[in-house]
Amino acid sequence: MSLIIDQLSCSLGKRRVLHDLAGMEARPGEITALIGPNGAGKSTLLRAIAGITMASGHMTLDGLSLETQSLGQRTRKLYYLPQDTSTQAALSVFEAVLLARRTQVVEPNRHALAAVAQALQSLELDPLAERELAALSGGQRQRVAIAQAIVRRPRLLMLDEPTSALDLHHQLQVLDYLHRLARQDDVIVVIAIHDLNLAARFADHLWVVKEGRHIVSGRPGDVLTPQRLREIYAIEADVEWPPGSSPRITPRSATRRLGS
Amino acid sequence: MKATTFSPSSANSTTTVARYHARQRRQRWLIAATALATLMSLLLDIATGPGAYALSDVTKALLAPSEVSRVLQVVVWDIRLPVALMAIVVGASLAIAGAQMQTLLNNPLADPFTLGISSAASFGAALAIVLGFGVLPVAGTLLLTGNAFVLAMLASLMIWGLSRLRGVSVQTMVLMGIAIMFFFNALLGMLQYVASAESLQQLVFWSLGSLSKASWGKVGLAGLALVVTIPVFVRARWRLTALRLGDVQAQAMGIDVGRLRLRMLLCCALLSATAVAFVGTIGFVGLVGPHIARLLVGEDQRAFLPMSALTGALILSLTSILSKTLIPGILLPIGILTALIGLPFFVSLILSSRKEIWR
């Protein structure tokens, strides 16, 4: 039971953004990191899986074909958290998270309120529950967006650069939280991420895309090699895997210089 | 998905929920207080005018008509109540339409006036007044109202039709609304240029907005537009609130944003066209009402929708009183007063938009 992508293509206008992506699998209980350079099609891929961007091809979630399901049907099982979560809506944090729950399930009010309170507390957002979204910092807003995601209890959770607005403390805290969420609740978590050190540390599995094509998938130790990094990012990098500690990827130089 | 990652302390959860309930209670109190203020304003509006009556007499005439004089009965029931109710109904309609247009188009300056719907209605009225031309096979006073309604609906449908085009952004839709406003203003100018002095005077009076032609029939029809559209908005309350988080987030929550925008714009078109057709051009109520509501209760549609309706109704009702009392013995066109009150607000909104109040 997992998310499987097979022959997925997508065009935005006349430009083809994803080219027959195939052989990509994300498993429950694991974090799958989607990596690749700018413009690789990471966000488009996540949006195509979510049904927000039209795509052709075949995808299954727990054996069910996703392409035959409407946006509403898909979002009962999966949730896509976009990179840009900034908003000036005059809504409190509690109202915003309740909204995420209410657009998904019809249930007695007290159940919904309890679920919201739990989600807020698990992300240490309860002191901000009455604060308006517009008054939050970027990092706080991103944590609220994650609370909106988890309150829906999706089977598949896709996050587009979830740590981009977070400080180091909150980056580690959020990724650790997602790691536990995947393990303990058997959720399929897919994260598009630029920070390779964080990807190597927290992901169980990597999907690598470049120019809309699937380059390779596998365990971080197999994928994150100096040769691969040169091929994918056009960089020279040192990759160290000290026993018993987190992997270290140190970029040394770009293989191409601007203006050369 | 199991819930093992959630391991909250129930005491903290209870406190968070209690604080949310307190916020809801505050919103309900504010809505109730505004409703009471609107009711008081309605009574005061009925009591105000040539030959002012005490509030107690007015209340008595409303609750027990048989116990007051025939004159008071006629003044209250046949003359003033339809006008006062029209102010409430039109104010609520314009404010709801404005609130939803601002939500749907993600623009704080969107309302029936700024999107050209009022200009289109004025052109429709001008067709009837200046050329005697009717777009519907009706005669008499209905000719003007029918024209204004059809043209206002046409302008709304033009914005609606545009929104159906693929890839059209909400910003383009707002700009298109402004283009529609200029287009109909130009056509109106042409008709004014060829109009006789008498027609011109009549047209100017209509375009300044007036409640004085209100009748029970018109109040009923304007009220019907509210009765038809409010349940649609109530049913879509969560989806409409989600739109304020942006299209992508709303879609991530499973909302078909395009379809929702089309349906709701159609309801806005019906509300604004009906209101403008009966009372002429009354600007800024659809702009100011929702902004006050937003400041008071936020943008959760469960509170924002009723509060917008009530603030719009209250503003127009108070303006109606002001139009009768500002210069004793003279009934000022209500559209002039709403513009005078609304313009400074409009300018302040433009200035705050520069500070990126709305993205």
Side-chain angles (χ1 to χ4, degrees):
Chain A
M1 292 288 120
S2 55
L3 169 71
I4 295 171
I5 294 169
D6 190 22
Q7 299 299 320
L8 186 76
S9 294
C10 172
S11 297
L12 296 177
K14 288 180 180 170
R15 193 167 60 93
R16 197 151 186 213
V17 184
L18 301 177
H19 302 264
D20 298 326
L21 301 184
M24 300 165 86
E25 183 178 9
R27 297 182 197 92
E30 290 186 354
I31 288 184
T32 299
L34 172 59
I35 62 169
N38 289 335
K42 299 188 292 292
S43 298
T44 309
L45 171 57
L46 296 187
R47 289 180 189 200
I49 297 168
I52 294 170
T53 299
M54 295 296 285
S56 60
H58 192 54
M59 295 173 279
T60 58
L61 177 60
D62 293 341
L64 281 173
S65 288
L66 282 178
E67 63 272 12
T68 56
Q69 300 197 319
S70 67
L71 180 70
Q73 287 170 323
R74 281 192 209 196
T75 50
R76 272 184 218 121
K77 302 184 197 94
L78 57 84
Y79 189 78
Y80 165 69
L81 196 159
Q83 184 175 0
D84 181 11
T85 55
S86 58
T87 174
Q88 297 297 322
L91 292 172
S92 73
V93 167
F94 196 103
E95 284 170 342
V97 179
L98 180 63
L99 175 67
R101 179 83 177 183
R102 281 297 197 195
T103 46
Q104 188 200 25
V105 284
V106 179
E107 62 186 347
N109 201 35
R110 63 191 167 85
H111 291 181
L113 298 183
V116 172
Q118 283 185 344
L120 290 177
Q121 205 183 339
S122 62
L123 282 153
E124 297 180 3
L125 282 167
D126 37 341
L128 302 177
E130 297 311 301
R131 187 89 61 88
E132 289 222 338
L133 295 181
L136 300 179
S137 69
Q140 288 169 335
R141 177 73 196 97
Q142 205 143 14
R143 279 193 290 147
V144 172
I146 294 170
Q148 286 177 307
I150 62 165
V151 82
R152 294 169 71 98
R153 311 236 169 135
R155 168 72 170 148
L156 164 63
L157 177 56
M158 297 180 290
L159 306 100
D160 199 347
E161 293 288 344
T163 54
S164 59
L166 301 179
D167 58 39
L168 289 173
H169 171 79
H170 284 110
Q171 281 182 14
L172 295 174
Q173 204 181 35
V174 162
L175 286 172
D176 177 62
Y177 176 80
L178 292 172
H179 191 256
R180 279 186 289 125
L181 183 79
R183 292 280 190 280
Q184 295 172 15
D185 299 349
D186 211 29
V187 178
I188 304 168
V189 177
V190 180
I191 304 172
I193 194 164
H194 270 300
D195 190 322
L196 295 180
N197 282 301
L198 286 177
R201 178 168 171 180
F202 287 99
D204 303 283
H205 195 77
L206 297 182
W207 286 348
V208 184
V209 289
K210 185 181 180 184
E211 293 169 356
R213 290 185 167 80
H214 175 213
I215 304 296
V216 66
S217 292
R219 299 278 153 194
D222 301 329
V223 172
L224 295 174
T225 62
Q227 294 83 351
R228 283 275 186 220
L229 294 175
R230 193 179 307 121
E231 181 192 345
I232 301 161
Y233 290 99
I235 56 164
E236 298 295 344
D238 296 325
V239 181
E240 295 172 74
W241 294 85
S245 90
S246 300
R248 268 202 302 273
I249 295 155
T250 317
R252 279 188 282 113
S253 61
T255 56
R256 288 194 311 272
R257 284 188 177 172
L258 284 177
S260 60
Chain B
M1 177 172 146
K2 294 172 284 180
T4 48
T5 313
F6 300 128
S7 52
S9 105
S10 63
N12 277 358
S13 290
T14 311
T15 315
T16 311
V17 172
R19 291 208 315 265
Y20 167 72
H21 280 311
R23 181 182 164 97
Q24 274 204 312
R25 269 196 302 277
R26 193 173 62 86
Q27 287 173 339
R28 285 186 196 132
W29 273 111
L30 282 167
I31 290 169
T34 314
L36 190 65
T38 308
L39 184 67
M40 291 306 296
S41 179
L42 174 77
L43 292 175
L44 206 59
D45 195 10
I46 299 168
T48 318
Y53 295 98
L55 271 180
S56 55
D57 290 339
V58 171
T59 314
K60 201 171 175 184
L62 287 172
L63 298 177
S66 56
E67 290 175 24
V68 296
S69 70
R70 178 71 192 143
V71 175
L72 181 59
Q73 222 182 87
V74 170
V75 167
V76 168
W77 281 93
D78 296 346
I79 300 170
R80 293 195 187 169
L81 187 56
V83 173
L85 278 178
M86 195 59 144
I88 301 282
V89 171
V90 167
S93 298
L94 291 175
I96 291 177
Q100 303 305 16
M101 281 176 170
Q102 287 162 21
T103 302
L104 295 166
L105 302 177
N106 195 29
N107 192 304
L109 302 179
D111 89 328
F113 191 69
T114 53
L115 292 183
I117 296 167
S118 302
S119 303
S122 295
F123 174 66
L127 280 176
I129 294 168
V130 178
L131 302 179
F133 173 77
V135 287
L136 293 177
V138 288
T141 52
L142 279 181
L143 183 74
L144 192 154
T145 308
N147 274 9
F149 178 79
V150 170
L151 267 293
M153 273 306 272
L154 188 71
S156 309
L157 291 175
M158 280 165 80
I159 301 169
W160 180 78
L162 184 78
S163 68
R164 295 190 68 178
L165 298 177
R166 226 178 151 158
V168 170
S169 69
V170 286
Q171 286 83 359
T172 312
M173 287 162 68
V174 173
L175 290 174
M176 191 66 186
I178 294 168
I180 288 170
M181 181 174 76
F182 282 117
F183 173 66
F184 282 111
N185 277 346
L187 291 178
L188 181 65
M190 274 171 64
L191 283 181
Q192 284 171 333
Y193 188 70
V194 299
S196 66
E198 193 193 341
S199 301
L200 196 58
Q201 192 184 10
Q202 211 185 331
L203 183 58
V204 167
F205 182 76
W206 187 88
S207 60
L208 291 177
S210 171
L211 297 164
S212 59
K213 297 268 169 62
S215 64
W216 279 110
K218 288 177 181 175
V219 171
L221 282 173
L224 188 64
L226 274 177
V227 169
V228 169
T229 53
I230 284 177
V232 181
F233 290 131
V234 169
R235 201 158 165 242
R237 61 196 181 280
W238 292 109
R239 284 173 287 157
L240 283 166
T241 308
L243 266 190
R244 286 294 292 120
L245 299 176
D247 281 12
V248 176
Q249 280 212 75
Q251 285 173 307
M253 290 179 187
I255 294 159
D256 187 337
V257 170
R259 187 182 289 182
L260 177 70
R261 196 166 270 137
L262 287 177
R263 286 183 181 173
M264 297 303 129
L265 273 178
L266 209 55
C267 290
C268 291
L270 181 65
L271 274 181
S272 29
T274 314
V276 177
F278 288 131
V279 299
T281 309
I282 294 182
F284 299 102
V285 175
L287 187 75
V288 178
H291 279 283
I292 295 173
R294 190 174 288 118
L295 284 173
L296 290 172
V297 295
E299 287 183 286
D300 184 331
Q301 288 268 338
R302 291 173 299 163
F304 181 50
L305 178 67
M307 197 54 158
S308 294
L310 286 168
T311 46
L314 180 59
I315 289 169
L316 205 55
S317 182
L318 289 173
T319 316
S320 170
I321 298 168
L322 207 61
S323 72
K324 290 184 269 186
T325 52
L326 208 60
I327 303 174
I330 293 178
L331 177 66
L332 289 171
I334 200 161
I336 294 179
L337 292 175
T338 56
L340 280 175
I341 297 165
L343 260 173
F345 194 85
F346 188 69
V347 173
S348 73
L349 270 178
I350 294 170
L351 293 176
S352 23
S353 295
R354 281 177 57 213
K355 293 176 203 159
E356 294 184 47
I357 293 262
W358 280 40
R359 289 178 62 245

